[in-house]
Amino acid sequence: MAPYAMEHMHFQSWADVAPRLVAVAAGRAPADTVIRKGQWVNVHTREILPDHDIAIAAGRIAYVGPDASHCTGPDTEVIEANGRFMIPGLCDGHMHIESGMLTPAEFARAVIPHGTTTMFTDPHEIANVLGLEGVRMMHDEALMQPINIFTQMPSCAPSAPGLETTGYEIGPDDVSAAMGWPGIIGLGEMMNFPGVINGSQQMLAEIAATQNAGKTVGGHYASPDLGIPFHAYAAGGPADDHEGTCEADAIARVRQGMRMMMRLGSAWYDVETQITAITEKGLDPRNFILCTDDCHSGTLVNDGHMNRVVRHAIECGCDPVVALQMATINTATHFGVERDLGSIAPGRRADVILTSDLKTLPIEHVIARGKTVAQDGKGLVDCPHYDWPAHARQTVNMGRDRTAADFEIHAPEGATKVTANVIGVVENQAPTKALTADLPVENGVVCGDIETDIAQIALVERHRATGGVVNGFVSGFGYKGRMAMASTVAHDSHHMIVVGTDHENMALAANRLGKVGGGVTVFKDGQEIALIELPIAGLMSDAPATEVAAKADNMVQAMEACGCTLNNAYMQHSLLALVVIPELRISDLGLVDVTKFEMTDVIKAAE
């Protein structure tokens, strides 16, 4: 690794610089930076204290008080707050960088102007494609950044053993090895909740390795059943969960000592339905955390990141300082780093935002580790790139080109109509519905029905060039005419998902992604009308976020041109292979009934 990267990876601890901080606070040495005359938002006490100063030295806070003139020397940088609120840098408690279609460097560049200074990331997307090596590359680039990016070691690759095939697998030995890496903060979301509930030795061994290392176990309980199975899962050790969608889910988790992570991502709108546990039921907010989970580049560039989530929580009736606690100190406490970050207090990393309004939360000045990194929406700092090797850019291995015939679903001999299982997309939520529909048969091939909003879905194997294609049906996108959309982002196995109304267009879309090395494409009437190239693992681009976002915006317009008006429908598309969230999904092994964690047939009956 380059010396510059190593320099960014090493940030001195409180213990390392305590003598300097004491000297500055005592007035014996000058601060590097002083922020003058702001309103100190104290997330420890839930107070707003006017006319306070902050003195910063060695990237950490040395003093917070009414007057820092004794800390100010001739070379001290003075930042005038002019009565603005001084709040801690925002923390994202659960998210996947790959969902932004960006590398860690470009993701950081995109979110720094929005006030995000700390992220707790789970790179399980790349783990499914490149294994432990891919996780290490994400981890190493994360440590190169001028903000705090902690890595959770992925726990589930595959997410549901026996129901899908991934490019690589992660096991207890990998987890144990990763716990010694400098940027590993804990275990990523334990998606195999049936495994934990049923006492899987592998899942419990991964949890044990994390707990024995004194680190935090991430949870993922994607079931509405809050009875015995939920209690068994909680007993296994997961310390948080972000899969709740209603107030009862939130209450159940915090009552069992788990942290409830309420998410607002590009397509997940779960804050409004759960925050009533605080605003109406009056539960203690310290066990609630705000997060994004998945945000694509268009959301990051156009709408924001954690600032968007905090604003939304406030709009839902949450007290602004409570909302800030759930995006700062609560998150830091959960991961055991509250003595290092998450608040404006002595010894903590000097991650500070200046804003003129706590409700609308304009991000006017961002300081990370004591340095100004953004002002008025513009990033002012370099975000170094990792040197991704060639094999990380050559991960779409389809073998031969696909033809229209690969996407045909053949009916039983002599059938004129069939009853089929259909994946039903739910707008703004991760779960799907298990639907059924009567579909016509033409020349022995089952047809979708755009009049009743039933398109075809296919999963194309792309890790080992097996030539495999699994076909099924999906409803909810509203597609019309002859079209197809394909993506190599297909959580979590990340094969290729193709949704379309026409077999020829589906073949064209699949083959196009094979040629460009991964990404997202939309075809209409035989012509490509949108393309996002994602060459790194078929998941990410190292181009600037603004460029990727522009292509993502074009993709949204292309989907609309094909009849789709769902909010952030791309996120729904990318999750159609996520075989750990009910009710119905598709994998390289077939159609999966996630309520039972078993395979099911596409065709239920024929006439």
Side-chain angles (χ1 to χ4, degrees), residues 193-204:
F193 59 91
V196 174
I197 293 165
N198 293 315
S200 162
Q201 290 186 357
Q202 177 174 336
M203 297 301 101
L204 294 179

Side-chain angles (χ1 to χ4, degrees), residues 582-593:
E583 295 176 340
L584 200 59
R585 304 281 166 171
I586 193 170
S587 86
D588 63 303
L589 302 180
L591 200 63
V592 181
D593 180 342

Side-chain angles (χ1 to χ4, degrees), residues 245 266-270 424-433 475-477 564-573:
T245 60
S266 290
W268 321 137
Y269 285 62
D270 297 323
V425 170
V426 181
E427 188 171 26
N428 290 333
Q429 287 194 1
T432 63
K433 294 294 185 183
S475 176
F477 287 111
C564 181
T565 59
L566 285 182
N567 176 57
N568 279 303
Y570 167 70
M571 291 300 300
Q572 305 290 355
H573 178 108

Side-chain angles (χ1 to χ4, degrees), residues 16 76 81 109 181 199 230 246 270 294 297 302 317 339 346 358 387 399 440 469 519 557 560 568 574 600:
D16 291 334
T76 299
R109 190 192 306 273
W181 298 355
F230 168 69
C246 64
D270 297 323
D294 298 292
S297 55
N302 300 319
R339 295 285 291 170
L358 282 189
D387 185 12
V469 178
Q557 293 169 14
E560 291 174 352
N568 279 303
S574 70
T600 190

Side-chain angles (χ1 to χ4, degrees), residues 154-231:
S155 62
C156 300
S159 59
L163 297 179
E164 63 181 354
T165 309
T166 55
Y168 285 83
E169 296 187 3
I170 295 292
D173 291 343
D174 298 317
V175 172
S176 294
M179 287 300 140
W181 298 355
I184 293 291
I185 197 73
L187 188 68
E189 56 181 306
M190 178 49 71
M191 294 177 289
N192 188 359
F193 59 91
V196 174
I197 293 165
N198 293 315
S200 162
Q201 290 186 357
Q202 177 174 336
M203 297 301 101
L204 294 179
E206 291 183 4
I207 292 173
T210 307
Q211 292 174 323
N212 290 336
K215 299 186 178 183
T216 304
V217 177
H220 169 117
Y221 182 76
S223 170
D225 187 346
L226 297 177
I228 296 302
F230 168 69
H231 289 270

Side-chain angles (χ1 to χ4, degrees), residues 61-136:
I61 294 169
Y63 168 88
V64 190
D67 183 3
S69 59
H70 68 292
C71 307
T72 307
D75 297 322
T76 299
E77 176 191 21
V78 177
I79 298 172
E80 298 291 349
N82 293 320
R84 287 178 291 180
F85 297 96
M86 304 181 298
I87 67 174
L90 302 178
C91 305
D92 193 342
H94 173 73
M95 48 88 68
H96 308 284
I97 285 176
E98 303 99 315
S99 293
M101 305 178 184
L102 303 167
T103 57
E106 289 303 325
F107 199 103
R109 190 192 306 273
V111 302
I112 285 170
H114 297 307
T116 299
T117 59
T118 300
M119 295 184 284
F120 297 90
T121 72
D122 179 357
H124 69 216
E125 321 301 353
I126 202 168
N128 282 273
V129 181
L130 290 170
L132 192 62
E133 181 192 19
V135 176
R136 183 71 200 218

